[in-house]
């Protein structure tokens, strides 16, 4: 027996290899999303594909749907009043043929009890326990404009557009998860990633959003979203790209450049959808005309999206969804927190003493704590030196933060002389050498309290030539010339000194910030 479906049911909503369905009459042709010709990507409308291929007309009818493997390059073809669209690649496909007459009659007899009016929502039974679009795994925050700039009427049009994007994404337990934040005087998280895992629920939640009003403090809202929205408690998933789609009607009333920097540091890919550019008279009120390029993940054109008006936005839905599902383009998913290798080279000479050595280890722990240590994330190593060198642990020994911090606590003080140059060469060769194929950026933090008995300039230059960024941290009697000779360029921002060991604690944020700054600049 056939199952009655709506105009908007997609191929991926049907669970069987072969399914007989009944398409309703009078589906609006302009609302169909169809990708391909003959063989259609599974995110295409089934009824749209059936009309496009000539199996049925707009009067509806019985259709047999056959699930097929995914393929490359679904072509765009105009047929029977429907313009299908190009799609580079999709994981699954389907074809359509005419249902038999008996099947059609049987379906018509059942359609009274099973068919629902064409409301634009897919039948609930097809959404239950739906995994969603597994080819579009992403955690997405829609940052909508709720300011007086947009007003109540355009706010409602904005909600309609966001709803269409959410429906097309293929939200599900194993697909994209979405949440919404409203930007106005103060940002408000309307719902989190974990609240809804079905498109229908998300659409309902979006329709229920109320207009807040106030200034369009987009910068404040973007920073808040980057810092607070993507926590594990809120439903953010490990290893899944984090995306913020900022909707902006006109221009922001605050600075969004700093918020964009914060988002990049947190590994969030920022898209800006700008609608209705400022008029000539309004340009004088814009703090920075180039605000879009400064806030997005990369100013390469991919992360910015322009719509002339909130009216007639349906044609803009598909291209935006394709961008949000392009994982390989999410250049900001790698951050200084999850994509660095940091080795600490620790002076264990006699002049330091046990109690000060404990302060050094505390300093190292506090720096290491800031990073996301895992087998696929950041890695930490430690070498202690006097005249000799001892690898306390290498980059591959510990792959959790807890184990790294415990290993640091268990380092035993050696006591002896000071041969910093030899120690740098040892670390470059034995600690960083095995990591030459690592995608992470390499950093060496050298901590010493005195004059080295050997040359430091040559070994430090060799380390830097091998792609290692060197920070030098001196305490007490460490000569400033040695520290600068070891440090990477610009030396001033890679050289640190404190008279007392207790001063190391204040340096922790500066070292972390320095590593992040170098990391971001290396990816420009």
């Amino acid at each position: 027996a056939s199952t009655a479906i709506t105009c908007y049911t997609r191929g991926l909503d049907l669970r069987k290899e072969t399914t007989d369905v009944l398409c309703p009459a009078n589906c609006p042709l302009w609302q169909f999303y169809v990708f391909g010709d003959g063989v259609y990507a599974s995110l295409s409308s089934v009824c749209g594909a059936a009309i496009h291929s000539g199996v049925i007309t707009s009067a509806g009818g019985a259709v047999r749907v056959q699930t097929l493997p995914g393929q490359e390059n679904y072509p765009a073809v105009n047929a029977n009043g429907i313009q299908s669209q190009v799609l580079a690649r999709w994981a699954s496909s389907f074809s359509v043929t005419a249902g038999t007459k008996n099947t059609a009659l049987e379906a018509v007899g059942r359609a009274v009890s099973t068919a629902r009016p064409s409301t634009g929502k897919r039948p609930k039974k097809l959404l239950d326990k739906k995994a969603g679009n597994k080819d579009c795994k992403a955690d997405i925050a829609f940052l909508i404009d709720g300011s007086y700039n947009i007003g109540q009427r355009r706010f409602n049009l904005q909600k309609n557009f966001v709803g269409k994007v959410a429906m097309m994404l293929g939200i599900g337990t194993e697909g994209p998860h979405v949440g919404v934040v409203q930007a106005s005087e103060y940002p408000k998280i309307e719902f989190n990633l974990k609240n809804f895992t079905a498109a229908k629920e998300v659409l309902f939640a979006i329709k229920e959003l109320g207009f807040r009003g106030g200034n369009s403090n987009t910068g404040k809202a973007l920073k808040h979203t980057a810092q607070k929205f993507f926590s594990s408690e809120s439903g953010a998933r490990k290893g899944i790209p984090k995306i913020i789609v900022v909707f902006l009607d006109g221009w922001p009333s605050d600075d969004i450049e700093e918020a964009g920097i914060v988002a990049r540091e947190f590994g969030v890919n920022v898209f800006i959808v700008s609608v209705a550019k400022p008029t000539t008279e309004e340009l004088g009120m814009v703090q920075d005309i180039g605000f879009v390029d400064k806030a997005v993940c990369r100013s390469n054109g991919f992360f910015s999206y322009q719509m002339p008006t909130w009216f007639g936005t349906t044609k803009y839905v598909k291209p935006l969804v394709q961008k949000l599902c392009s994982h390989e383009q999410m250049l900001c998913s790698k951050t200084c927190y999850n994509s660095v290798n940091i080795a600490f080279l620790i002076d264990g000479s006699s002049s330091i003493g046990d109690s000060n050595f404990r302060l050094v280890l505390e300093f190292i722990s506090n720096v290491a704590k800031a990073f996301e240590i895992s087998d696929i994330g950041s890695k930490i190593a430690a070498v202690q030196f006097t005249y000799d060198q001892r690898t306390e642990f290498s980059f591959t020994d510990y792959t959790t933060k807890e184990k790294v911090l415990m290993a640091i606590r268990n380092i035993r003080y050696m006591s002896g002389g000071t041969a910093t140059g030899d120690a740098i060469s040892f670390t470059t060769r034995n600690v960083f050498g095995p990591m030459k194929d690592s995608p992470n950026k390499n950093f060496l933090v050298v901590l010493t309290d005195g004059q080295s008995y050997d040359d430091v300039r040559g070994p430090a230059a060799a380390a830097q030539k091998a792609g290692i960024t060197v920070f030098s941290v001196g305490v007490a009697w460490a000569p400033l010339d040695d520290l600068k000779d070891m440090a990477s360029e610009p030396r001033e921002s890679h050289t640190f000194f404190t008279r007392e060991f207790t001063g190391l604690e204040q340096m922790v944020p500066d070292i972390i910030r320095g590593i992040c700054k170098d990391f971001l600049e290396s990816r420009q």
Side-chain angles (χ1 to χ4, degrees):
S2 295
T3 302
I5 60 174
T6 76
C7 305
Y8 306 95
T9 301
R10 302 172 300 178
L12 56 82
D13 297 320
L14 305 176
R15 314 301 285 179
K16 297 176 183 175
E17 282 193 24
T18 304
T19 311
D20 288 312
V21 299
L22 182 69
C23 288
N26 304 317
C27 288
L29 300 189
W30 61 272
Q31 284 193 8
F32 280 131
Y33 288 111
V34 176
F35 304 87
D37 179 43
V39 175
Y40 300 94
S42 62
L43 80 165
S44 303
S45 157
V46 171
C47 298
I51 295 172
H52 183 266
S53 63
V55 169
I56 60 171
T57 67
S58 57
V63 178
R64 174 159 287 181
V65 183
Q66 179 70 45
T67 301
L68 300 170
Q71 65 176 40
E72 308 281 333
N73 301 321
Y74 295 88
V77 174
N78 196 320
N80 300 314
I82 294 177
Q83 172 66 59
S84 72
Q85 319 229 23
V86 172
L87 192 60
R89 186 176 70 253
W90 200 253
S92 56
S93 313
F94 67 88
S95 63
V96 287
T97 54
T100 64
K101 191 171 182 183
N102 288 341
T103 305
L105 288 171
E106 186 180 353
V108 170
R110 291 170 53 84
V112 176
S113 59
T114 58
R116 289 179 173 80
S118 178
T119 60
K121 301 175 187 176
R122 279 165 268 139
K124 189 172 183 0
K125 65 176 180 175
L126 295 174
L127 282 167
D128 285 346
K129 299 179 182 176
K130 191 166 75 67
N133 180 8
K134 295 179 186 178
D135 290 326
C136 184
K137 281 189 176 177
D139 286 342
I140 304 170
F142 292 118
L143 180 53
I144 63 172
D145 190 341
S147 70
Y148 290 138
N149 263 10
I150 193 168
Q152 179 73 62
R153 185 185 181 206
R154 295 205 303 275
F155 179 77
N156 289 336
L157 292 170
Q158 175 186 221
K159 289 198 302 181
N160 290 342
F161 178 74
V162 174
K164 288 175 186 174
V165 172
M167 290 296 284
M168 194 177 189
L169 278 168
I171 295 165
T173 52
E174 296 178 50
H177 291 183
V178 305
V180 171
V181 180
Q182 186 172 168
S184 55
E185 200 68 42
Y186 300 97
K188 183 190 177 190
I189 296 176
E190 300 285 2
F191 59 88
N192 276 312
L193 295 165
K194 68 178 182 182
N195 292 141
F196 309 109
T197 54
K200 190 175 181 182
E201 296 169 344
V202 169
L203 187 62
F204 181 77
I206 291 169
K207 285 182 177 177
E208 292 296 300
L209 296 177
F211 175 60
R212 291 172 63 79
N215 286 320
S216 59
N217 288 331
T218 311
K220 185 192 289 186
L222 176 55
K223 189 174 180 181
H224 177 81
T225 307
Q227 292 175 325
K228 306 290 185 187
F229 185 83
F230 296 99
S231 66
S232 55
E233 295 78 23
S234 300
R237 296 167 290 177
K238 200 169 184 178
I240 302 292
K242 298 191 281 277
I243 299 172
I244 299 176
V245 184
V246 181
F247 292 93
L248 197 53
D249 189 289
W251 70 96
S253 57
D254 63 347
D255 174 36
I256 66 172
E257 182 178 3
E258 185 200 347
I261 293 169
V262 169
R264 289 191 287 276
E265 286 185 351
F266 274 80
V268 178
N269 299 273
V270 175
F271 287 78
I272 290 191
V273 178
S274 49
V275 184
K277 287 182 177 177
T279 62
T280 309
E281 305 82 62
E282 292 169 338
L283 278 174
M285 300 170 68
V286 181
Q287 290 185 19
D288 185 352
I289 295 171
F291 66 83
V292 170
D293 280 348
K294 291 177 180 175
V296 292
C297 168
R298 291 285 187 279
S299 57
N300 58 5
F302 181 79
F303 295 91
S304 49
Y305 200 63
Q306 174 72 37
M307 297 195 301
T309 170
W310 285 114
F311 296 95
T313 56
T314 301
K315 64 184 177 184
Y316 295 101
V317 174
K318 183 188 78 73
L320 180 57
V321 168
Q322 285 184 322
K323 283 175 181 268
L324 299 181
C325 292
S326 302
H327 288 189
E328 68 283 357
Q329 301 277 6
M330 299 303 162
L331 303 177
C332 287
S333 293
K334 289 284 184 185
T335 73
C336 64
Y337 297 108
N338 65 20
S339 303
V340 294
N341 300 323
I342 307 170
F344 293 94
L345 185 54
I346 311 161
D347 187 342
S349 61
S350 307
S351 55
I352 289 179
D354 274 314
S355 59
N356 287 334
F357 191 75
R358 290 291 115 198
L359 291 174
V360 170
L361 296 184
E362 200 173 299
F363 165 80
I364 294 169
S365 291
N366 287 334
V367 173
K369 269 179 200 169
F371 295 89
E372 297 169 22
I373 301 162
S374 72
D375 55 339
I376 59 168
S378 291
K379 294 173 176 58
I380 306 290
V383 174
Q384 188 178 174
F385 70 96
T386 55
Y387 287 137
D388 298 317
Q389 306 86 31
R390 184 171 78 198
T391 302
E392 301 292 354
F393 56 91
S394 71
F395 286 123
T396 54
D397 286 342
Y398 304 110
T399 56
T400 68
K401 190 178 296 188
E402 293 71 24
K403 288 180 179 176
V404 165
L405 296 177
M406 185 178 290
I408 294 169
R409 283 196 299 272
N410 290 335
I411 293 175
R412 296 291 167 257
Y413 177 41
M414 288 171 70
S415 187
T418 310
T420 314
D422 277 353
I424 293 172
S425 298
F426 173 88
T427 307
T428 303
R429 185 174 60 253
N430 297 303
V431 177
F432 286 102
M435 304 298 287
K436 64 181 184 298
D437 295 326
S438 168
N440 291 0
K441 182 164 172 58
N442 293 323
F443 292 89
L444 174 63
V445 180
V446 182
L447 296 108
T448 182
D449 82 325
Q451 175 85 49
S452 177
Y453 290 111
D454 60 359
D455 171 59
V456 297
R457 185 178 297 179
Q464 290 165 36
K465 193 174 179 182
I468 302 164
T469 301
V470 181
F471 285 86
S472 60
V473 179
V475 189
W477 306 109
L480 195 57
D481 286 346
D482 272 13
L483 296 176
K484 286 187 174 178
D485 283 344
M486 291 187 285
S488 291
E489 295 284 356
R491 299 188 192 282
E492 289 70 26
S493 60
H494 291 83
T495 305
F496 296 85
F497 178 80
T498 175
R499 184 60 63 192
E500 304 290 339
F501 281 89
T502 51
L504 287 171
E505 187 183 348
Q506 282 81 48
M507 291 183 186
V508 170
D510 296 324
I511 296 287
I512 295 166
R513 200 175 297 119
I515 289 170
C516 283
K517 185 171 184 291
D518 285 346
F519 176 85
L520 285 173
E521 287 176 357
S522 74
R523 294 180 67 80
Q524 295 299 332

